[in-house]
């Protein structure tokens, strides 16, 4: 593909920074917008001088608008993630993930951007009914907490702009992405960050429930491939699942990471299994994942020093941090 002007919101974050690396490698001119709320300048330090980097918040429309001028493609990855803080601060999640997305897609429209990629979350499926495993894009939508709702409303907003203003919008619903640089910020969140910090400190892995629950863990380079494939393909107004189609249990993750474990209570609103039906993206875009769980974990362990700065969680601190989650979502028996 010829060299393009590409804008990445949230480009200093976990997935965003890997995407930026690939876009630069492929010869594109990359601009990154990030407010560094969870993204880290360190994630892009090696790209200094090769990209244009601006500290800006997508909630500030006037500030971000000029950066969209002359852009061919926009990858919208800026968002607030994690469940617990979304229960505590739903308004912040709404303004960043919904209003912020509207700003980004509107700035794209006004700047005549040709292709817009939205980073959606498989959490929109909530706890799918039995007949929806593996889960296709057409499964019922059932967000269980504000994070999931706001990412879904952002998706609807982006697709709506695409439909009304004839901009090519594609939304990718990501399933449990992991890899180097996965977030290590203060809140209790994605399992890889939690377990890797525990491993590096020789503490037991905090396994939720009995650990037989499964997740469709997807390695970050595969996700980046999916974004580029969708960006280059002749598709618009489409939603695609991005996963391996091959879920793995938490117990299997523990055995690959090797270490002791301790069990903590099951969490309300979370599915026992996430499992992407990937037939659509395979058939329409010819994408499928390439990195196995063994390989992904091996690569991550080779970079484990990155998690030395990560917060270290124990059953006690997790219980405290998830109080709000349990408080709001466990309905009392009458
Ligand atoms: N998990 C765990 N211990 C932790 C955090 C998570 O066993 O300290 C499990 C959790 O029960 C879930 C999986 O890891 O089955 C992925 O959890 P995460 O919060 O990363 O993602 P999500 O539940 O949103 O898919």
């Amino acid at each position: 593909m010829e060299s393009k002007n590409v804008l990445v919101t949230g480009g200093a974050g976990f997935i965003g920074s890997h995407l930026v690396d690939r876009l630069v490698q492929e010869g594109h001119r990359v601009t990154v917008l990030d407010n560094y709320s969870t993204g880290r300048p360190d994630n892009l330090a090696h790209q200094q001088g090769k990209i244009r980097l601006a500290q800006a918040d997508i909630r500030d429309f006037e500030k971000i608008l000029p950066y969209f001028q002359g852009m061919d493609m926009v990858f919208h990855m800026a968002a607030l993630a994690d469940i617990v803080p979304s229960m505590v601060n739903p308004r912040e999640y709404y303004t960043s993930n919904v209003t912020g997305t509207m700003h980004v897609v509107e700035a794209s429209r006004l700047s005549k951007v040709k292709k817009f990629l939205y980073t959606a979350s498989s959490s929109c499926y909530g706890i799918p009914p039995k007949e929806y495993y593996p889960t296709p894009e057409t499964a019922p939508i059932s967000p269980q907490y504000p994070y999931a709702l706001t990412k879904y409303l952002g998706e609807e907003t982006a697709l709506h702009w695409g439909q009304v203003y004839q901009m090519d919008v594609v939304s990718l619903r990501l399933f449990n992405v992991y890899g180097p640089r996965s977030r290590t910020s203060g809140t209790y969140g994605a399992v890889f960050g939690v377990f890797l910090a525990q491993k590096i400190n020789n503490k037991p892995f905090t396994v939720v429930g009995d650990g037989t629950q499964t997740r469709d863990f997807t390695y970050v380079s595969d996700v980046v491939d999916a974004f580029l494939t969708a960006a280059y393909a002749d598709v618009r107004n489409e939603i695609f699942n991005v996963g391996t189609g091959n879920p793995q249990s938490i117990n299997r993750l523990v055995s690959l990471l090797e270490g002791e474990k301790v069990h903590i209570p099951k969490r309300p609103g979370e599915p026992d299994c996430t499992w992407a039906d990937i037939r659509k993206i395979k058939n329409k875009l010819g994408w499928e994942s390439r990195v196995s769980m063994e390989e992904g974990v091996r690569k991550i362990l080779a970079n484990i020093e990155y998690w030395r700065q990560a917060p270290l969680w124990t059953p006690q601190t997790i219980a405290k941090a998830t109080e709000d989650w349990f408080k709001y979502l466990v309905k009392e028996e009458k």
Side-chain angles (χ1 to χ4, degrees), residues 83 145 176 188-191 194-195 206-208 213 215 217 250 264 267 270 274 318:
I83 298 165
Y145 25 76
N176 295 79
Y188 172 69
V191 65
V194 174
F195 281 9
T206 48
V207 171
V208 168
Q213 71 273 32
R215 287 291 180 274
F217 290 113
I250 298 308
I264 60 173
R267 313 183 304 189
E270 75 166 6
T274 68
I318 290 173

Side-chain angles (χ1 to χ4, degrees), residues 13-14 37-40 42-43 82 179-190 192-194 196-197 303-313:
F14 161 45
S37 62
T38 54
R40 303 155 51 122
D42 274 3
N43 287 345
D82 288 325
R181 305 181 205 146
S182 69
R183 274 167 321 90
T184 57
S185 54
T187 47
Y188 172 69
F192 266 89
V194 174
L196 289 162
N303 285 291
I304 194 162
E305 277 305 312
Y306 183 87
W307 282 271
R308 197 166 288 284
Q309 314 302 328
L312 176 61
W313 293 97

